[in-house]
Amino acid sequence: MGGEACGLRPHALVSTEIFRKMSWISMSDRQKIFVSSVQKELEDERLIVQNLVNTDSFLSAHCLPVLYEFEPASPARALEECLSALDQCQVCILIIGVQYGVMPGSVSITHTEYRRAKKKKLHVLAFIKGDRNLQREVGTESLLAELEKDGLKYKRFGNVIELQKEVRAALVKLLRERYAIAPTSDENEIAFQTIEATSVFESRPMDRIRWEDLDHAVALRLISAAEQRPPESLSESDLLTGATLRGLVCRDPSSGVSYGTAAGIVLLARDPSAVFPQCRILADAYRGAEPDGDPRDHEDIRVPMPVAIERAIAFIDRNTRHPMRVVGLNRVRLDEYPVEGLREALVNAVAHRQYEDAGRKIMLEIFADRIVISSPGLPPAPITLASLRKGKYRPCSRNPVLAQCLSYFHRIEERGSGFRRMRDQMLNHGLDQPLYGTETGYFQVTFPGPGENLERLRAPKAPLLVTPAIEAQLNPRQKQMLAQVLKVGSVTSGWCVKKFDIVHDTANRDLNDLVRLGLFKIEGKGRATRYTVTEPKP
């Protein structure tokens, strides 16, 4: 686990329309893999393959799957465009279930795609859902018979976990044989554990919220961060492309309408809880060390989850203490807890929670002596509390698409070190390291606070108001003026005249120089004029 999505790259299963728009992606060193199947019947499997390649660090570096989603109303044109997309690929993944699919001619589109791949001498990887005794449509049986006649070896699978294992193994073997490249043992172990832990929740195709009704402002921030492109350079079409690439949007082949997937609703819906009641953060701030029925502050956060994390951080900020400390010629505002450690824990809670549990929400509780963040579901196997406490574990996630997108949004990039970072941030802040535990099916991270001993808090490496370059421009009087403001909050020209035995013109000149340097600001007028410190910009 970890707030980051294991340092993944932004590639995904895409439609042909999107594939044509992807000139900004360098694809020269990746195998383009066409995914062929009956769409409606095997929609879950198609999205699972997308998310596998999208979130596997080894596969995403070397493979780019391509998916064409057609509208049955024009099967002839759909076939032409499917074959055009297939011709640009090096590998064809063929997934076969019960149904035969749309037939623009004597055979189905899927059957035609197989024959075209065979004619083009593409490497075909076939995966059959169900055992030999499963009753299939006549056309499907003829396709299977053709595969056997051609001597094509195929793998059977019974569920999406088996499908992911078989697809990954086949692609790893192909890359090893063709290019002599192979994943490391760590990459293999992380991939295996992630496949075992992966929930099917985030890959569910939905028809509840259209792309047009998702929050495009949040999508803009996400896609801009993921692709490292200026927001102003992204068009609406770019946003749809980027969201589809990352498994957040899926196009309904029968209507041509793009809908948010389950992951897309969690991340981009204006109120995800309207579809999934569990997609909320319940925040409470208590006066003492125990919960009571009358918290001093409460918020039920129901917004896109990346924004919900920011709202939760703001809730913490207004319900914790922020002592001021003078460091040299600077006044520094301290936080009671390290903000980035809290952010990491909140990202983890959103990314790795058990979304199938629709009755429970993420809980944020602020007490006088600690902060507790509770996420529904225990750590996915084989991660244990003991391994988390020792810092000896390989990262995996129930929801790798959510984890990947949140890592882009919150700029959490280092792979597999989320809990170690939380520990280091707490210790560097002068506090005890976080505590990990479980309670009634929740995974909990507890941040012990400083109690009444605020002196133990360490000043962070914050932006300085007075940098060494600025300090070199100050005369001794101005340094004392600044020190006085940091101590009592303000000075006047009259105080300067008396303190330094100087005339008003000299005092005003010194003070105006401090204003010009951006260190002081003027408040009041006439005899009530006073000078206060300018807070440094973060």
mmCIF file of all heavy atoms in Angstrom, residues 172-187:
data_model
loop_
_atom_site.group_PDB
_atom_site.id
_atom_site.type_symbol
_atom_site.label_atom_id
_atom_site.label_comp_id
_atom_site.label_asym_id
_atom_site.label_seq_id
_atom_site.Cartn_x
_atom_site.Cartn_y
_atom_site.Cartn_z
ATOM 1 N N VAL A 172 4.401 -10.723 -20.589
ATOM 2 C CA VAL A 172 5.781 -10.797 -20.070
ATOM 3 C C VAL A 172 6.604 -11.780 -20.895
ATOM 4 O O VAL A 172 7.755 -11.496 -21.280
ATOM 5 C CB VAL A 172 5.774 -11.192 -18.579
ATOM 6 C CG1 VAL A 172 7.178 -11.585 -18.118
ATOM 7 C CG2 VAL A 172 5.254 -10.045 -17.719
ATOM 8 N N LYS A 173 6.016 -12.919 -21.198
ATOM 9 C CA LYS A 173 6.717 -13.926 -22.017
ATOM 10 C C LYS A 173 7.031 -13.372 -23.403
ATOM 11 O O LYS A 173 8.131 -13.553 -23.932
ATOM 12 C CB LYS A 173 5.865 -15.186 -22.127
ATOM 13 C CG LYS A 173 6.516 -16.295 -22.963
ATOM 14 C CD LYS A 173 5.588 -17.501 -23.065
ATOM 15 C CE LYS A 173 6.216 -18.582 -23.950
ATOM 16 N NZ LYS A 173 5.298 -19.740 -24.111
ATOM 17 N N LEU A 174 6.052 -12.680 -23.993
ATOM 18 C CA LEU A 174 6.232 -12.115 -25.327
ATOM 19 C C LEU A 174 7.369 -11.089 -25.334
ATOM 20 O O LEU A 174 8.232 -11.101 -26.225
ATOM 21 C CB LEU A 174 4.924 -11.468 -25.787
ATOM 22 C CG LEU A 174 4.947 -10.740 -27.131
ATOM 23 C CD1 LEU A 174 5.244 -11.715 -28.260
ATOM 24 C CD2 LEU A 174 3.625 -10.025 -27.365
ATOM 25 N N LEU A 175 7.393 -10.192 -24.355
ATOM 26 C CA LEU A 175 8.426 -9.169 -24.290
ATOM 27 C C LEU A 175 9.801 -9.786 -24.029
ATOM 28 O O LEU A 175 10.816 -9.314 -24.555
ATOM 29 C CB LEU A 175 8.091 -8.154 -23.198
ATOM 30 C CG LEU A 175 6.878 -7.266 -23.491
ATOM 31 C CD1 LEU A 175 6.456 -6.490 -22.251
ATOM 32 C CD2 LEU A 175 7.176 -6.299 -24.633
ATOM 33 N N ARG A 176 9.829 -10.839 -23.251
ATOM 34 C CA ARG A 176 11.107 -11.500 -22.987
ATOM 35 C C ARG A 176 11.632 -12.168 -24.261
ATOM 36 O O ARG A 176 12.823 -12.067 -24.587
ATOM 37 C CB ARG A 176 10.944 -12.545 -21.892
ATOM 38 C CG ARG A 176 12.256 -13.265 -21.524
ATOM 39 C CD ARG A 176 12.045 -14.396 -20.550
ATOM 40 N NE ARG A 176 11.587 -13.919 -19.259
ATOM 41 C CZ ARG A 176 10.401 -14.165 -18.745
ATOM 42 N NH1 ARG A 176 9.507 -14.882 -19.444
ATOM 43 N NH2 ARG A 176 10.064 -13.718 -17.566
ATOM 44 N N GLU A 177 10.754 -12.850 -24.988
ATOM 45 C CA GLU A 177 11.195 -13.569 -26.180
ATOM 46 C C GLU A 177 11.538 -12.631 -27.327
ATOM 47 O O GLU A 177 12.471 -12.895 -28.088
ATOM 48 C CB GLU A 177 10.105 -14.549 -26.614
ATOM 49 C CG GLU A 177 9.904 -15.702 -25.627
ATOM 50 C CD GLU A 177 8.753 -16.601 -26.012
ATOM 51 O OE1 GLU A 177 7.960 -16.206 -26.914
ATOM 52 O OE2 GLU A 177 8.616 -17.688 -25.418
ATOM 53 N N ARG A 178 10.787 -11.533 -27.461
ATOM 54 C CA ARG A 178 11.014 -10.619 -28.581
ATOM 55 C C ARG A 178 12.151 -9.636 -28.338
ATOM 56 O O ARG A 178 12.917 -9.325 -29.248
ATOM 57 C CB ARG A 178 9.734 -9.822 -28.877
ATOM 58 C CG ARG A 178 8.708 -10.593 -29.686
ATOM 59 C CD ARG A 178 7.654 -9.617 -30.208
ATOM 60 N NE ARG A 178 6.695 -10.301 -31.084
ATOM 61 C CZ ARG A 178 5.698 -9.684 -31.714
ATOM 62 N NH1 ARG A 178 5.539 -8.380 -31.557
ATOM 63 N NH2 ARG A 178 4.872 -10.353 -32.485
ATOM 64 N N TYR A 179 12.229 -9.130 -27.127
ATOM 65 C CA TYR A 179 13.156 -8.029 -26.873
ATOM 66 C C TYR A 179 14.127 -8.292 -25.735
ATOM 67 O O TYR A 179 14.888 -7.402 -25.356
ATOM 68 C CB TYR A 179 12.362 -6.745 -26.568
ATOM 69 C CG TYR A 179 11.434 -6.362 -27.682
ATOM 70 C CD1 TYR A 179 10.065 -6.562 -27.565
ATOM 71 C CD2 TYR A 179 11.921 -5.824 -28.880
ATOM 72 C CE1 TYR A 179 9.202 -6.224 -28.597
ATOM 73 C CE2 TYR A 179 11.069 -5.493 -29.912
ATOM 74 C CZ TYR A 179 9.711 -5.683 -29.774
ATOM 75 O OH TYR A 179 8.864 -5.356 -30.791
ATOM 76 N N ALA A 180 14.082 -9.484 -25.161
ATOM 77 C CA ALA A 180 14.992 -9.841 -24.066
ATOM 78 C C ALA A 180 14.857 -8.868 -22.897
ATOM 79 O O ALA A 180 15.846 -8.506 -22.261
ATOM 80 C CB ALA A 180 16.431 -9.902 -24.556
ATOM 81 N N ILE A 181 13.631 -8.408 -22.633
ATOM 82 C CA ILE A 181 13.390 -7.568 -21.469
ATOM 83 C C ILE A 181 12.438 -8.307 -20.543
ATOM 84 O O ILE A 181 11.528 -9.013 -20.995
ATOM 85 C CB ILE A 181 12.793 -6.196 -21.861
ATOM 86 C CG1 ILE A 181 11.541 -6.363 -22.745
ATOM 87 C CG2 ILE A 181 13.822 -5.338 -22.551
ATOM 88 C CD1 ILE A 181 10.884 -5.046 -23.104
ATOM 89 N N ALA A 182 12.672 -8.158 -19.253
ATOM 90 C CA ALA A 182 11.870 -8.890 -18.283
ATOM 91 C C ALA A 182 11.721 -8.058 -17.020
ATOM 92 O O ALA A 182 12.565 -7.225 -16.695
ATOM 93 C CB ALA A 182 12.532 -10.226 -17.949
ATOM 94 N N PRO A 183 10.616 -8.252 -16.311
ATOM 95 C CA PRO A 183 10.431 -7.521 -15.059
ATOM 96 C C PRO A 183 11.373 -8.018 -13.984
ATOM 97 O O PRO A 183 11.864 -9.160 -14.041
ATOM 98 C CB PRO A 183 8.968 -7.827 -14.691
ATOM 99 C CG PRO A 183 8.676 -9.133 -15.351
ATOM 100 C CD PRO A 183 9.486 -9.150 -16.615
ATOM 101 N N THR A 184 11.642 -7.177 -13.005
ATOM 102 C CA THR A 184 12.448 -7.586 -11.866
ATOM 103 C C THR A 184 11.602 -8.485 -10.964
ATOM 104 O O THR A 184 10.373 -8.554 -11.090
ATOM 105 C CB THR A 184 12.926 -6.376 -11.064
ATOM 106 O OG1 THR A 184 11.770 -5.719 -10.492
ATOM 107 C CG2 THR A 184 13.680 -5.390 -11.956
ATOM 108 N N SER A 185 12.258 -9.148 -10.040
ATOM 109 C CA SER A 185 11.520 -9.999 -9.099
ATOM 110 C C SER A 185 10.570 -9.158 -8.254
ATOM 111 O O SER A 185 9.460 -9.589 -7.927
ATOM 112 C CB SER A 185 12.496 -10.766 -8.205
ATOM 113 O OG SER A 185 13.332 -9.870 -7.487
ATOM 114 N N ASP A 186 10.993 -7.934 -7.893
ATOM 115 C CA ASP A 186 10.108 -7.046 -7.135
ATOM 116 C C ASP A 186 8.888 -6.654 -7.955
ATOM 117 O O ASP A 186 7.758 -6.626 -7.442
ATOM 118 C CB ASP A 186 10.861 -5.784 -6.716
ATOM 119 C CG ASP A 186 11.453 -5.908 -5.319
ATOM 120 O OD1 ASP A 186 11.289 -6.990 -4.717
ATOM 121 O OD2 ASP A 186 12.080 -4.948 -4.851
ATOM 122 N N GLU A 187 9.084 -6.321 -9.242
ATOM 123 C CA GLU A 187 7.953 -5.966 -10.102
ATOM 124 C C GLU A 187 6.981 -7.134 -10.232
ATOM 125 O O GLU A 187 5.761 -6.943 -10.216
ATOM 126 C CB GLU A 187 8.454 -5.535 -11.474
ATOM 127 C CG GLU A 187 9.077 -4.151 -11.493
ATOM 128 C CD GLU A 187 9.669 -3.777 -12.832
ATOM 129 O OE1 GLU A 187 10.248 -4.673 -13.502
ATOM 130 O OE2 GLU A 187 9.560 -2.598 -13.226
#
